[in-house]
Amino acid sequence: MKRSPLYTVLALAVLFLAVVPLGTSVFVLGFFLGDSPCILCWAQRIGMALVALIGLFVLRYGPKPKYLGLGVLVGAWGVFMAIRHSSLHLARDVGQGFALEMLGAHTYIWSFAVFWVCIVVMAAMLMKVPAEDLQPAAPRALRGIDRVALAGFLLVIAGTIVQAFASTGPPPFVGQSDPVRFSFDPRHWVWSLDEFSSAPVSVRGRWAIAKPDVTAVDPDPATAPLHSVPQLTIAGRRSLNLGLNGAPTDLAYDAASNRYLLTTEHGVYLTDGALQNVVRHTVIDPLFSVDMGRFAGAAFLGNDRIIAVTENKSYLVLRETGKADVDLNYRYFLESPEAFEEVSRARFATLRAKMMYVMSAAADPESHSIVTLTVPNAKSRNMVVSRFDMADMTLSEEFVPKLSAQPGIVLPEEGNPLAAYYVTAATIANGRLYALSAAHSTLFVIDLASRSVVAVYTIPGLAQPVGLVLKDAQFVIVSRDGTLASVDVPAAAGGHP
Amino acid sequence: MEFLTFLILFISAWVLWRRSEKERLAARLLIAGVVLMIFLFTLGTRTSLLPGLNY
């Protein structure tokens, strides 16, 4: 008596699975609307059919552990398939997706729901299976509801066989990544072996991006793709002696207050105008909230506010204060909790720069913007400038600087020369973005209005520069080892003629 | 291959219904379906086996 309702529930579940997701897919979406599944959709549909079939096995042979285990295994694999497939489309703009929608969601999302519900139902039923039912027994006699479930399953699978033959063909043909519209007319059938073509096997594909590393680049200007580039000379050097908690990662300067801003991996330091004394500092707690990564760029925002941008394009806005609530700030800071108030901790979102890290940031007071520059990686080799409006910290503009042959610059015959550079320091003045590449020790002067490189210079002798400011017609450059270098700004780059 | 897979599932269900004494055959066809499903999905995702998202 206890078992009968359980088997009835199972038969109804199989029938539901066969008729609603599987039956709708083949008869409504496929035969009526002309939808053809892609190779991943096919695998998910097979997974649903398998779950239903396993239910039929339990109806026929009882809840044997091997069928129950296989049901959970296929359900779990189905959830994985749904997540993997949906991940291609989940982050697109609102309303976008792939192929048909059902009840406001695309089919691959419904696959996730179906498999998840299958696992939940199987778990709930398992809790109700009597122990004696787990013993070997003869096949059960099918009741009416069981036969209806079986017939429904066979009918839907028969229809699916027809659709699969037309859409994907007999073996060895397989489904396609981008299938054509379904048709009963053989002239419109496309049978493909494209999925067997050679392709690299990878765990994370294009998402496997190594973290940026300024120590891994070649600083030699002689090996750069740009030739005949004019050279700037380092006018002076000295070492920072500020007691930072690690290697510097960026440098900014505020003429109004005659102060510098230095960052380390997670440290923020305000110094006097001579870079001799730290006047205020803190070390942030990078954990337990927005993943802050390592600070890569920093800038003054005005009104006692500063921003520090991380390699993964998260950012932190701090406000200077002398009376911060130390207890309230316990959560934000590891050192000097009285020195700053945290205004915001969030993330920049980009488009062209989405799959690249940044190692520099600068503020543009004229356009009231924050600007970042990407560093290339093995999968995305380019230099992308992203501009974010300070009003809402949202992307306002993105571009790859135009680089054309000009006096003093000889371009390579082919390829994108900017891809060889690794911008690790940047500053903005008078509408120009100065971007210093640690690779080949090269300084690019980019006109922000025309988005063009208007001048290029090499600065031999730099080693792993991470910060750049323009002060009193001199570039001040800080390197990862704490060395400060000063370079006179040439007239063509905005210096004194 | 999808055609073959659904054909196997159909035969498995048919055996289960009309030749229930041949449980081992039906179960082997079921396992073949599982293997083919995993093969097809892995074939289609081999350039990025895990979901393409931040980790």
Side-chain angles (χ1 to χ4, degrees):
Chain A
M1 291 297 287
K2 287 181 184 175
R3 278 173 279 167
S4 184
L6 210 57
Y7 284 116
T8 302
V9 170
L10 181 58
L12 290 173
V14 169
L15 193 60
F16 177 84
L17 202 52
V19 171
V20 178
L22 291 169
T24 303
S25 295
V26 61
F27 294 116
V28 178
L29 301 185
F31 293 168
F32 185 65
L33 295 175
D35 180 48
S36 277
C38 71
I39 184 170
L40 304 187
C41 291
W42 274 120
Q44 288 170 267
R45 199 188 288 191
I46 292 167
M48 290 183 206
L50 282 166
V51 171
L53 183 54
I54 290 166
L56 293 173
F57 268 78
V58 173
L59 283 177
R60 187 56 140 168
Y61 300 112
K64 294 184 178 179
K66 63 180 178 182
Y67 299 137
L68 299 177
L70 194 61
V72 173
L73 191 148
V74 173
W77 178 257
V79 168
F80 167 73
M81 287 196 295
I83 293 173
R84 167 63 181 80
H85 194 184
S86 302
S87 71
L88 298 172
H89 309 294
L90 290 180
R92 296 189 192 283
D93 280 13
V94 64
Q96 295 179 346
F98 192 89
L100 294 174
E101 270 187 8
M102 291 167 64
L103 302 175
H106 289 86
T107 48
Y108 39 83
I109 298 294
W110 284 113
S111 160
F112 174 82
V114 167
F115 283 117
W116 186 81
V117 169
C118 284
I119 292 177
V120 170
V121 170
M122 281 189 282
M125 294 180 72
L126 269 173
M127 290 189 289
K128 288 289 187 182
V129 172
E132 60 268 23
D133 274 17
L134 298 174
Q135 303 305 316
R140 289 180 65 249
L142 297 176
R143 303 163 304 160
I145 185 67
D146 302 335
R147 289 196 190 91
V148 170
L150 245 167
F153 178 82
L154 286 170
L155 178 67
V156 168
I157 297 302
T160 309
I161 288 170
V162 172
Q163 187 186 18
F165 186 80
S167 293
T168 69
F173 295 106
V174 291
Q176 303 133 45
S177 297
D178 211 355
V180 298
R181 182 153 41 95
F182 174 80
S183 172
F184 285 108
D185 187 342
R187 291 175 301 174
H188 300 151
W189 293 353
V190 176
W191 294 348
S192 170
L193 292 171
D194 287 352
E195 292 296 328
F196 287 114
S197 59
S198 174
V201 176
S202 172
V203 175
R204 294 196 61 201
R206 71 189 189 101
W207 283 81
I209 307 293
K211 294 279 175 66
D213 183 4
V214 68
T215 67
V217 299
D218 175 11
D220 187 359
T223 58
L226 296 177
H227 301 296
S228 305
V229 176
Q231 181 177 313
L232 301 180
T233 305
I234 295 174
R237 286 181 199 267
R238 71 175 177 89
S239 293
L240 278 176
N241 188 19
L242 293 169
L244 307 178
N245 73 333
T249 59
D250 198 23
L251 180 67
Y253 177 69
D254 179 37
S257 62
N258 188 31
R259 292 184 305 170
Y260 284 94
L261 168 60
L262 271 159
T263 54
T264 59
E265 186 171 342
H266 296 123
V268 176
Y269 296 80
L270 287 169
T271 78
D272 59 17
L275 269 170
Q276 298 281 6
N277 299 295
V278 173
V279 297
R280 187 186 297 271
H281 92 285
T282 191
V283 175
I284 67 147
D285 187 341
L287 305 176
F288 316 121
S289 180
V290 175
D291 179 356
M292 295 305 292
R294 294 176 294 194
F295 286 142
F300 287 92
L301 300 179
N303 299 325
D304 296 330
R305 295 186 183 209
I306 58 173
I307 185 170
V309 181
T310 60
E311 293 167 346
N312 58 1
K313 289 171 263 173
S314 299
Y315 67 85
L316 176 76
V317 176
L318 300 177
R319 181 170 54 227
E320 296 176 60
T321 177
K323 48 185 179 181
D325 185 329
V326 173
D327 293 329
L328 183 68
N329 276 350
Y330 170 78
R331 68 175 77 173
Y332 302 126
F333 304 113
L334 298 176
E335 292 183 17
S336 304
E338 74 289 347
F340 292 95
E341 287 176 349
E342 182 168 310
V343 178
S344 61
R345 187 183 291 217
R347 310 167 185 89
F348 288 130
T350 59
L351 295 172
R352 287 187 177 90
K354 187 178 182 72
M355 304 306 288
M356 287 186 274
Y357 288 100
V358 302
M359 291 199 75
S360 57
D364 181 11
E366 290 182 20
S367 64
H368 204 59
S369 301
I370 301 295
V371 170
T372 61
L373 291 103
T374 60
V375 291
N377 57 62
K379 295 188 170 68
S380 302
R381 303 195 61 77
N382 218 335
M383 181 192 296
V384 178
V385 178
S386 306
R387 187 170 67 79
F388 307 90
D389 195 317
M390 285 186 206
D392 56 7
M393 294 299 199
T394 300
L395 184 67
S396 300
E397 176 187 33
E398 256 184 344
F399 63 91
V400 175
K402 286 177 279 189
L403 178 63
S404 53
Q406 51 194 281
I409 302 176
V410 177
L411 298 179
E413 291 185 359
E414 56 185 40
N416 173 15
L418 291 180
Y421 293 93
Y422 208 83
V423 174
T424 52
T427 190
I428 295 173
N430 304 318
R432 289 181 167 184
L433 170 62
Y434 300 87
L436 179 58
S437 166
H440 311 301
S441 303
T442 299
L443 176 72
F444 293 89
V445 183
I446 301 166
D447 180 63
L448 287 171
S450 64
R451 303 174 175 178
S452 302
V453 175
V454 294
V456 184
Y457 303 94
T458 60
I459 310 177
L462 287 179
Q464 300 167 11
V466 293
L468 168 72
V469 302
L470 206 165
K471 181 190 179 190
D472 301 333
Q474 275 202 323
F475 291 119
V476 179
I477 300 164
V478 65
S479 293
R480 191 171 176 277
D481 64 359
T483 302
L484 279 175
S486 55
V487 176
D488 292 332
V489 180
H496 296 305
Chain B
M1 298 293 271
E2 290 84 354
F3 163 75
L4 173 67
T5 310
F6 279 106
L7 195 60
I8 287 171
L9 301 192
F10 185 92
I11 295 170
S12 176
W14 181 260
V15 170
L16 175 149
W17 191 3
R18 311 304 295 183
R19 297 283 185 274
S20 62
E21 71 280 7
K22 296 189 175 181
E23 180 182 357
R24 179 170 293 183
L25 171 63
R28 284 180 176 174
L29 290 169
L30 175 69
I31 296 294
V34 173
V35 171
L36 278 168
M37 171 190 67
I38 293 172
F39 168 73
L40 286 170
F41 194 80
T42 306
L43 180 70
T45 59
R46 67 191 186 283
T47 55
S48 180
L49 295 169
L50 294 177
L53 298 165
N54 281 309
Y55 289 101

